[in-house]
Amino acid sequence: MNRLIDRMIDRIAPRETASACSGTYFCDAAGHKGYWYRYCCPDSGCTWSKVRNSC
């Protein structure tokens, strides 16, 4: 299951610039219940970034 999620993130993860974020939001991403997140790759490394307070 985790491999499927990793493959999906690989497809949507930003690659254009070091600080880019994906254009797609995910509810409960990476186990953070009840919030919208998107996947960002700043210079410090890729991580989930909280976008909104509720799904």
Side-chain angles (χ1 to χ4, degrees):
M1 180 70 177
N2 283 343
R3 254 182 223 190
L4 176 63
I5 292 171
D6 288 341
R7 280 200 301 261
M8 183 177 71
I9 290 171
D10 284 342
R11 278 195 306 237
I12 60 94
R15 302 188 193 285
E16 297 80 23
T17 64
S19 60
C21 290
S22 69
T24 306
Y25 295 175
F26 295 89
C27 184
D28 297 345
H32 302 290
K33 299 297 183 192
Y35 299 101
W36 284 104
Y37 280 77
R38 65 181 173 170
Y39 199 64
C40 293
C41 291
D43 293 333
S44 57
C46 296
T47 184
W48 289 105
S49 177
K50 190 164 111 175
V51 179
R52 294 197 184 121
N53 284 335
S54 61
C55 294

